[in-house]
Amino acid sequence: EFCENDAKHVILNSCVGEDNPVFPSHTQIICQLNKVSPVFFPIPKDSEKKVEQRMQALDQIKRCDWSTSDVNKNLWPASIMLKFGIKPAKYSGLYHYDPSVQLQSVSTEIDDEIICKQTTAATNIPPSLQSISRQSAEVLILGTAASLPGKYRNVSAIFVDLFDRGGILLDCGEGTLGQLARFYGDEELREIIAKTKCVWISHMHADHHLGLLRILSHHKKLSQDCKPITVIGPPALRKWLRSYQKIEDIEFDFIFNADIRHSLIWSENHRLAPLAATLGVRISSVQVNHSCRDACGVVLESTTQPSWKIVYSGDTRPCKELVSAGCDATLLIHEATHENKLQDDARFKKHSTTQEALNIAKDMNAFRTILTHFSQRYPKVPLLTEFSSSSNAVAAFDLMRVNLADLPMLPSILDPVYRLSLRERWNEDAEET
């Protein structure tokens, strides 16, 4: 009797329906980039549902054959992007979004001349990278947008995967947990959250810390037997977390950025020493020049061999202190909010232009540089022509993955990505904006 009338029934069940991409527009871009370089742009796993769960759910609704059964023509499983038209009458009915058609076309559209010719024929490779293991460290860019999320890019967050030693989140803007779920899938997400030992927050602007509550809450639910996550940040962040702790079931150990300044000499009794020993990484904060009080950048230095150094600027104007602390960095991740012609805006808002960030990388003698935190006036990609002055820097994309062992060939993606952006006219939206 459930399907005998003309009413359309949509079944809402967490175990029924197709796992379509939550953000199909960005998924299309990442699939195009995957054809350029699968090493740096792997396909996100999105949510993975167990076959047993699906079958149990189908049993509850008589194992409906959604696509062919005449009896069940009015019964549909819910899925992401499923639409129902009401008026006008000619558009009435269910519209099922099928990403496979869109994404399948991507695989045939990429020209051979755009595909990245990955090579490790780089010069001046640091000795530590010549023998580095793929299990040393891997950087996952979870968000590249400044200020607020957009259709194609989420706000600031970077996951540094140290594999069996744990993981560190550098900044944690809203939607960070969702980005981790998209990239790793449900099953692996549990492992990632459980092994996250530390979240480092650069400053109190919302686009850098608003996703922290979800991470802490998820960690508490999944990791009852694990130690609380260590949160490092400005004093105002601890006050904010304690306020929410009254209504949210979260646990954390808090350390001020000022207590791990790069200039300090750690003793064996330093509060962060046990965590540093577990991770095999020393975490040091560096005060930077931004419009927010207590803003910092961070330096991650391996305490084991082979040695490496990752530097993240947070939000800042060009900063000599960061250059000094990050000298000879293996990888510099620096903000480049504004294009070069908007230098006055950058000064006023205490951000950096692309060229200023590239100059910092040169002064720091960074082996490789990834620029991020682009203004939302560039919805899909910043102006890649501004990267031409450097042979060691690339633009970050959401869900871009960089293993330290792959750093020598990182610059080889810049020209193919630029060609792809021209073909797809990714900067047209920026011109309209």
Side-chain angles (χ1 to χ4, degrees):
E1 67 278 9
F2 190 52
C3 299
E4 287 180 352
N5 55 40
D6 292 333
K8 303 293 190 293
H9 300 275
V10 177
I11 306 302
L12 294 174
N13 188 304
S14 62
C15 300
V16 176
E18 299 179 11
D19 297 324
N20 295 338
V22 180
F23 303 110
S25 297
H26 175 259
T27 301
Q28 183 176 17
I29 288 179
I30 204 70
C31 285
Q32 290 172 324
L33 290 169
N34 173 262
K35 295 299 177 181
V36 171
S37 175
V39 173
F40 297 111
F41 304 107
I43 300 294
K45 293 182 180 178
D46 283 333
S47 354
E48 296 177 347
K49 307 292 185 183
K50 294 182 179 178
V51 174
E52 294 80 6
Q53 289 179 323
R54 285 178 180 245
M55 295 306 295
Q56 291 172 6
L58 291 176
D59 282 339
Q60 297 174 13
I61 48 180
K62 301 180 181 180
R63 295 179 181 270
C64 299
D65 185 345
W66 310 109
S67 58
T68 60
S69 174
D70 293 332
V71 176
N72 298 313
K73 63 182 179 180
N74 293 331
L75 188 62
W76 284 76
S79 61
I80 295 170
M81 304 298 289
L82 180 69
K83 298 180 181 180
F84 186 87
I86 299 177
K87 289 185 177 180
K90 66 178 180 179
Y91 294 124
S92 177
L94 286 162
Y95 295 87
H96 182 252
Y97 167 69
D98 185 3
S100 62
V101 177
Q102 181 185 28
L103 301 182
Q104 187 176 9
S105 65
V106 171
S107 64
T108 60
E109 289 177 356
I110 303 299
D111 301 329
D112 288 341
E113 65 180 24
I114 293 179
I115 296 177
C116 178
K117 305 298 189 295
Q118 292 166 353
T119 174
T120 57
T123 58
N124 301 321
I125 299 177
S128 59
L129 286 183
Q130 295 175 9
S131 59
I132 196 168
S133 165
R134 299 194 67 83
Q135 300 297 308
S136 293
E138 188 170 85
V139 173
L140 175 63
I141 308 293
L142 297 170
T144 60
S147 184
L148 74 170
K151 181 178 180 180
Y152 302 98
R153 297 189 288 117
N154 198 49
V155 287
S156 297
I158 300 166
F159 182 67
V160 181
D161 191 352
L162 300 171
F163 299 96
D164 58 348
R165 302 189 306 281
I168 305 171
L169 265 172
L170 305 180
D171 277 337
C172 192
E174 61 187 282
T176 295
L177 182 63
Q179 290 288 78
L180 285 168
R182 288 185 66 207
F183 187 84
Y184 289 108
D186 284 350
E187 293 300 322
E188 196 171 347
L189 174 66
R190 295 182 177 90
E191 300 175 10
I192 294 298
I193 295 298
K195 78 174 187 178
T196 299
K197 309 294 185 186
C198 175
V199 180
W200 179 91
I201 303 296
S202 60
H203 62 291
M204 282 301 293
H205 284 161
D207 59 320
H208 291 259
H209 76 270
L210 216 54
L212 179 56
L213 290 174
R214 290 293 309 278
I215 294 293
L216 295 178
S217 176
H218 215 63
H219 185 270
K220 179 69 182 297
K221 292 176 183 177
L222 296 178
S223 313
Q224 296 290 342
D225 299 330
C226 294
K227 294 181 179 179
I229 289 179
T230 297
V231 177
I232 304 172
L237 181 66
R238 185 178 70 168
K239 182 178 180 180
W240 182 77
L241 287 174
R242 284 180 172 176
S243 297
Y244 273 97
Q245 203 169 22
K246 298 175 182 177
I247 56 175
E248 292 274 358
D249 186 17
I250 57 175
E251 292 182 358
F252 57 90
D253 290 330
F254 199 92
I255 296 177
F256 296 125
N257 271 324
D259 292 338
I260 58 167
R261 291 193 306 273
H262 190 266
S263 58
L264 293 178
I265 299 176
W266 287 16
S267 67
E268 294 181 357
N269 298 323
H270 193 285
R271 285 183 59 198
L272 201 58
L275 178 63
T278 300
L279 296 173
V281 172
R282 173 179 167 133
I283 307 170
S284 303
S285 294
V286 182
Q287 188 170 357
V288 296
N289 181 14
H290 188 45
S291 58
C292 186
R293 184 178 180 181
D294 300 315
C296 287
V298 67
V299 178
L300 306 181
E301 297 180 82
S302 66
T303 57
T304 59
Q305 296 297 324
S307 61
W308 49 262
K309 182 190 291 188
I310 297 174
V311 181
Y312 170 53
S313 69
D315 287 5
T316 182
R317 290 288 298 149
C319 179
K320 293 182 180 179
E321 290 77 11
L322 188 68
V323 172
S324 176
C327 183
D328 295 328
T330 310
L331 175 64
L332 167 65
I333 305 171
H334 202 287
E335 72 118 292
T337 309
H338 298 286
E339 61 186 276
N340 295 334
K341 69 179 182 181
L342 298 178
Q343 191 168 34
D344 289 342
D345 284 2
R347 288 196 191 99
F348 178 73
K349 297 177 181 179
K350 295 295 183 72
H351 285 294
S352 299
T353 65
T354 301
Q355 190 56 55
E356 287 174 332
L358 294 177
N359 291 341
I360 289 295
K362 183 178 179 180
D363 294 343
M364 191 181 289
N365 193 34
F367 176 63
R368 293 291 183 259
T369 301
I370 299 175
L371 299 191
T372 186
H373 197 267
F374 307 115
S375 167
Q376 284 289 18
R377 65 166 47 88
Y378 324 108
K380 298 178 182 178
V381 66
L383 301 181
L384 296 177
T385 52
E386 296 190 342
F387 288 70
S388 59
S389 63
S390 173
S391 60
N392 297 321
V394 299
F397 287 83
D398 282 33
L399 306 187
M400 176 183 181
R401 180 183 66 188
V402 181
N403 192 292
L404 293 191
D406 296 325
L407 282 180
M409 64 182 181
L410 181 62
S412 64
I413 69 172
L414 183 58
D415 184 61
V417 169
Y418 174 62
R419 290 172 180 268
L420 180 64
S421 72
L422 291 179
R423 198 200 68 171
E424 296 298 318
R425 300 178 179 178
W426 284 348
N427 283 125
E428 282 191 355
D429 292 337
E431 294 172 2
E432 293 173 5
T433 303

